[in-house]
Amino acid sequence: MKQTDLYLYNNSPYHPGANAVKRLLWYYVNSLIFKSSLFPFYWIKNFFLKLFGAKIGKEVEIKPCVNIKYPWHLTIGNEVWIGESVWIDSLVPIVIHNNICISQGAMLLTGSHNYKKTTFDLITGTIILEDGVWIGAGAIVNHGVTCGNHSVLAAGSVATKNLEPYTIYQGNPAQKVRERVID
């Protein structure tokens, strides 16, 4: 990667992982196909995600009005459901394993800013959702967080730290409230 390919976000070197033409094309595809409610067909969305470099498993259902930043940083396993108005801010990799539900209005945020600096330097971190995770409606998963197998982030909650497997979290910041028992 050449220095000219890096974008300086307030003194933090960052490159989105694709050239300007690919990013511009994705901007329009994302706006017309994903962020819109005009194309409810999952196969079209999965086709375009793969075309732009995402790794997509089988039986992936992406509902209308989903916003995906950079699909080339996205890996989605099998039997994944992504609800309406989900925001996948994939500045860096997001790995979504199998049998996962990301409910309406949830956000996966791989970037933030360093509030300790006057330049608010960009901070990024990979998000991993392990098998069987459920992200509730309006919940937020922050950068660098791994949601352990079969963990649950309750509606409206904010994950700022890793979630333990088979555990239900709630609140802002999300706190462990009980174990998840699956029959």
Side-chain angles (χ1 to χ4, degrees):
M1 180 178 339
K2 297 182 232 160
Q3 183 64 28
T4 56
D5 292 336
L6 292 175
Y7 289 153
L8 211 54
Y9 284 93
N10 299 335
N11 299 320
S12 299
Y14 170 75
H15 189 276
N19 65 42
V21 173
K22 186 174 183 178
R23 290 193 316 272
L24 181 65
L25 287 172
W26 175 251
Y27 174 83
Y28 287 107
V29 168
N30 190 38
S31 295
L32 296 171
I33 306 292
F34 289 85
K35 290 168 66 174
S36 159
S37 58
L38 298 176
F39 293 94
F41 309 106
Y42 308 133
W43 68 270
I44 291 174
K45 294 174 182 180
N46 293 340
F47 168 80
F48 276 109
L49 285 173
K50 288 176 185 177
L51 184 67
F52 278 88
K55 295 172 186 74
I56 306 296
K58 296 175 182 174
E59 297 184 45
V60 173
E61 297 182 12
I62 301 173
K63 295 295 188 178
C65 304
V66 171
N67 188 7
I68 300 171
K69 184 70 172 184
Y70 297 135
W72 43 91
H73 290 308
L74 188 57
T75 301
I76 301 175
N78 300 318
E79 297 183 27
V80 172
W81 188 89
I82 299 174
E84 292 179 5
S85 301
V86 167
W87 171 213
I88 299 176
D89 185 33
S90 50
L91 295 170
V92 296
I94 292 179
V95 180
I96 300 169
H97 286 256
N98 304 307
N99 303 305
I100 291 180
C101 175
I102 303 172
S103 296
Q104 300 86 337
M107 292 194 271
L108 306 180
L109 305 175
T110 60
S112 187
H113 296 277
N114 187 345
Y115 64 86
K116 295 177 183 177
K117 295 191 175 199
T118 58
T119 53
F120 293 103
D121 295 354
L122 180 66
I123 300 169
T124 59
T126 296
I127 292 174
I128 300 171
L129 305 181
E130 295 179 349
D131 289 348
V133 166
W134 177 15
I135 305 299
I140 299 171
V141 179
N142 281 298
H143 66 283
V145 170
T146 295
C147 298
N149 286 323
H150 303 282
S151 60
V152 175
L153 182 61
S157 298
V158 180
T160 58
K161 296 183 178 167
N162 293 345
L163 307 184
E164 295 174 19
Y166 292 94
T167 306
I168 299 171
Y169 289 81
Q170 185 175 21
N172 180 8
Q175 301 294 320
K176 180 179 178 178
V177 292
R178 67 183 153 278
E179 298 297 319
R180 180 181 183 188
V181 178
I182 298 176
D183 295 329

